[in-house]
Amino acid sequence: MGTVAVKQAKPHVECNSALEMLRMMVLIREFEAPCDQQYRAGKIGGYVHYYNGQEAVATGLVPLLRNGDTMITAYRDHGYALALGTSPQSIMAELFGKATGCAGGKGGSMHLYDVARGFLGGYGIVGGSVPLAVGSAFALKYRNMPNLCITFLGDGAMEQGAVHEAMNMAGLYHVPCLFVLENNGYAMGTSVSRHAAETDFVKRVTNGYAIEGERVDGMDVLAVRAAGERVMERMREDGRPFFLEAVTYRYAGHGFADNAQQQKFYRTDEEIDAYRHRDPIDQLYHLMEKHGDITEADFKRMQAEAKAVVEEAIRFAEESPFPSPDSLFENVLSGN
Ligand SMILES: Cc1ncc(C[n+]2csc(CCOP(=O)(O)OP(=O)(O)O)c2C)c(N)n1
């Protein structure tokens, strides 16, 4: 039996109560709030894709990962790293391109990495991360490890050929890969109905690749969590792949170039408002408040604490050094 050649850090943050899930979603949202300003100030290079609106998906699923599990995502990746327990400081330092960043400052926002926790990276090629995830899940199976790989993809990635080749292999070889489709309705400015011939993604995968699947409300963290617990427990027993579609929404544009003016070409303010009324943070907060589990003062304190953590992360990133020129060729794979 093989072993993973890295020392495992704490595999995930404790996120076992509604209060902890609320705290995590608030942290993910607050983490991204000042990034606009930092980007415009020239502190963050490259590109940034925001996760806001989608917090319930990472928060509901990622803390369920165990020691030895792996995770691979696309470029909208801050939320998953935070939910896994990667420190906000090292994530912010990565956005700032600093040596103390979780990828040594050479990845940036789209390429976070925390191998000690099983996070094998954020990837920029749409759908390109999915075959890597199937490869990782295959390796876990090959080594007889009681683990799974979770991978997140967008609705746009569902039209990528490599995704379907990988899903076919996962279904054929029974590899423990959990495909989580975050259907936020758009691939950049193209709506699902304009890019998908069959918009029922669960049907496409379950009919096509002998992979079981289901759909969950991705704005409801409790529903996502419940589905995740059930599905992962089952996968750990039968070692088979699973496809979970979380129906969600991003409030922000695709990335920085997709500003409010641009977005008018593909979606209305009314649509964004309708989703804001089902906001994952507000939904959970109001439910907890109704049951007497939290007060408005507690919630405000929680938001203030998250802001303080993020301010500290920015300070840390600011004060950290850039990678040395000598490190430019470290971790570069070439030749044999
Ligand atoms: C193979 C490939 N084609 C095109 C692009 C340009 N591109 C970057 S993001 C994106 C949209 C992907 O949308 P989706 O998969 O739904 O993810 P989301 O941005 O909604 O999270 C596109 C087309 C790319 N990065 N890779």
Side-chain angles (χ1 to χ4, degrees), residues 229-261:
E229 276 175 349
R230 189 169 24 79
V231 164
M232 287 194 208
E233 193 184 311
R234 189 178 136 175
M235 289 178 70
R236 291 184 197 286
E237 274 166 24
D238 69 13
R240 291 192 173 233
F242 199 91
F243 178 79
L244 184 65
E245 176 183 3
V247 181
T248 183
Y249 200 74
R250 63 164 159 78
Y251 303 137
H254 168 74
F256 273 112
D258 186 19
N259 56 35
Q261 203 53 37

Side-chain angles (χ1 to χ4, degrees), residues 8-17 20-21 24 58-71 79-87 114-119 147-148 150 225 229 232 236:
Q8 291 282 327
K10 192 164 165 277
H12 60 77
V13 290
E14 295 300 322
C15 216
N16 292 323
S17 67
E20 284 158 358
M21 285 192 261
M24 180 52 69
T59 302
L61 297 175
V62 175
L64 292 170
L65 296 177
R66 294 187 189 157
N67 213 338
D69 289 346
T70 55
M71 177 169 93
Y80 317 109
L82 287 165
L84 194 67
T86 305
S87 85
D114 187 351
V115 74
R117 288 181 177 75
F119 183 15
N147 291 107
L148 56 83
I150 189 168
R225 171 77 179 208
E229 276 175 349
M232 287 194 208
R236 291 184 197 286

Side-chain angles (χ1 to χ4, degrees), residues 190-324:
T190 307
S191 66
V192 168
S193 59
R194 290 178 63 227
H195 71 65
E198 170 56 82
T199 57
D200 185 335
F201 295 113
V202 173
K203 189 167 133 193
R204 272 165 72 175
V205 173
T206 54
N207 283 356
Y209 307 117
I211 294 175
E212 288 201 41
E214 64 185 53
R215 188 172 294 119
V216 67
D217 179 358
M219 304 301 272
D220 177 351
V221 71
L222 299 179
V224 175
R225 171 77 179 208
E229 276 175 349
R230 189 169 24 79
V231 164
M232 287 194 208
E233 193 184 311
R234 189 178 136 175
M235 289 178 70
R236 291 184 197 286
E237 274 166 24
D238 69 13
R240 291 192 173 233
F242 199 91
F243 178 79
L244 184 65
E245 176 183 3
V247 181
T248 183
Y249 200 74
R250 63 164 159 78
Y251 303 137
H254 168 74
F256 273 112
D258 186 19
N259 56 35
Q261 203 53 37
Q262 278 285 125
Q263 289 170 53
K264 296 213 184 304
F265 288 112
Y266 68 88
R267 64 179 180 179
T268 61
D269 291 342
E270 290 72 33
E271 180 182 292
I272 301 173
D273 284 349
Y275 275 97
R276 281 195 191 278
H277 276 99
R278 298 182 46 231
D279 183 80
I281 296 177
D282 289 350
Q283 270 197 65
L284 182 60
Y285 163 56
H286 290 308
L287 186 72
M288 290 174 67
E289 195 194 26
K290 202 168 106 191
H291 287 90
D293 293 332
I294 194 169
T295 64
E296 195 182 343
D298 295 333
F299 184 53
K300 289 211 162 115
R301 198 172 318 116
M302 188 182 273
Q303 287 175 313
E305 281 165 7
K307 278 193 175 73
V309 167
V310 177
E311 274 165 26
E312 164 55 23
I314 291 173
R315 191 198 56 73
F316 174 80
E318 286 265 26
E319 291 174 3
S320 293
F322 282 107
S324 71

Side-chain angles (χ1 to χ4, degrees), residues 54 75-76 124-126 154-157 160 184 186-188 250 254:
Q54 304 186 206
Y75 45 80
R76 199 180 293 286
I125 299 300
V126 172
D155 48 272
Q160 243 282 21
N184 62 15
Y186 296 96
M188 298 182 104
R250 63 164 159 78
H254 168 74

